[in-house]
Amino acid sequence: QKEVEQNSGPLSVPEGAIASLNCTYSDRVSQSFFWYRQYSGKSPELIMSIYSNGDKEDGRFTAQLNKASQYVSLLIRDSQPSDSATYLCAVNGAGSYQLTFGKGTKLSVIP
Amino acid sequence: GAVVSQHPSRVICKSGTSVKIECRSLDFQATTMFWYRQFPKKSLMLMATSNEGSKATYEQGVEKDKFLINHASLTLSTLTVTSAHPEDSSFYICSAGTSGRAGSYEQYFGPGTRLTVT
């Protein structure tokens, strides 16, 4: 059974701070890793993808992957109230479209 | 990123009727699409994988005769909720897969359809 674990939160950070979201996965052969943002009542939106060990930066977002530890994280710098949402970690294996999702971490950025 | 549309965005129907939801990939071809259901404050639940030109693959516990899926073209999949009941009221979301970096597949979600069965 493939599993993706996330702390459900809520994670509260003050505006301007760094928000750190963490995710672990059980399937060692997982190859692709994704972060989705889901606002309340809306569908998930893909915000970051990462495929190799290390960091990947896109604007205020940085995804970090450590395959040896089976760990992926998302850092949000200069957090804004508009970043308040549930963040879903998702993982898939080689040649597979199907994603295994974590249950999501709810982030609240306090003005 | 790739764009996926869904129609309708909201639908209210009476118990016992059927409802069809369309999912379209607008700027790419998708051999595989997925249908999810999400209850309020709950996680996404994968219902089925829709494959163009072949039968859908349903997750355990999802009734294939109740949730009919048709993937007739590379840009369109439909989900029909047959004989809907109030417990089918939920947020239905489709997604479509497309190739990202070499060997990887990325999934993009439609905006969702909120179904209310009265």
Side-chain angles (χ1 to χ4, degrees):
Chain A
Q1 180 83 1
K2 299 176 184 177
E3 292 185 348
V4 176
E5 299 285 341
Q6 293 181 256
N7 188 322
S8 62
L11 172 66
S12 294
V13 300
E15 184 174 355
I18 295 175
S20 177
L21 305 163
N22 304 314
C23 171
T24 59
Y25 58 95
S26 64
D27 190 354
R28 192 167 279 282
V29 300
S30 298
Q31 295 209 344
S32 303
F33 308 86
F34 306 92
W35 285 98
Y36 288 83
R37 176 176 63 197
Q38 187 175 23
Y39 291 113
S40 181
K42 303 294 185 182
S43 67
E45 174 191 8
L46 179 62
I47 57 171
M48 286 289 280
S49 56
I50 187 166
Y51 309 102
S52 55
N53 281 328
D55 295 359
K56 178 182 177 183
E57 187 174 317
D58 184 0
R60 295 186 296 112
F61 299 101
T62 299
Q64 299 174 318
L65 175 61
N66 183 325
K67 289 187 178 181
S69 300
Q70 295 175 237
Y71 175 91
V72 59
S73 66
L74 179 70
L75 299 177
I76 306 175
R77 288 181 301 282
D78 189 24
S79 296
Q80 301 296 308
S82 58
D83 295 325
S84 298
T86 296
Y87 289 81
L88 303 169
C89 174
V91 172
N92 69 7
S96 171
Y97 281 123
Q98 189 166 332
L99 291 173
T100 301
F101 281 91
K103 294 189 175 183
T105 298
K106 185 173 182 179
L107 172 67
S108 292
V109 180
I110 312 301
Chain B
V3 181
V4 177
S5 71
Q6 254 182 270
H7 178 81
S9 58
R10 287 181 180 273
V11 59
I12 301 173
C13 70
K14 291 188 177 181
S15 187
T17 61
S18 296
V19 173
K20 180 185 282 189
I21 302 169
E22 292 187 349
C23 177
R24 292 180 186 274
S25 56
L26 296 187
D27 52 0
F28 65 101
Q29 293 184 329
T31 55
T32 304
M33 291 183 174
F34 300 88
W35 288 96
Y36 294 83
R37 182 166 58 180
Q38 188 174 38
F39 292 106
K41 300 189 187 302
K42 298 294 185 183
S43 305
L44 282 173
M45 186 192 85
L46 179 65
M47 298 175 67
T49 301
S50 170
N51 303 297
E52 188 267 335
S54 64
K55 290 183 179 180
T57 305
Y58 290 81
E59 295 300 302
Q60 192 173 9
V62 178
E63 299 174 60
K64 62 180 181 181
D65 295 329
K66 181 170 183 62
F67 298 100
L68 300 178
I69 291 172
N70 185 285
H71 195 152
S73 77
L74 288 171
T75 59
L76 174 64
S77 176
T78 60
L79 167 68
T80 301
V81 182
T82 62
S83 187
H85 289 283
E87 58 264 31
D88 298 323
S89 299
S90 188
F91 191 40
Y92 292 86
I93 316 172
C94 73
S95 71
T98 185
S99 296
R101 245 183 60 161
S104 73
Y105 301 114
E106 297 178 344
Q107 254 187 63
Y108 293 89
F109 284 85
T113 296
R114 193 161 302 280
L115 170 64
T116 302
V117 185
T118 61

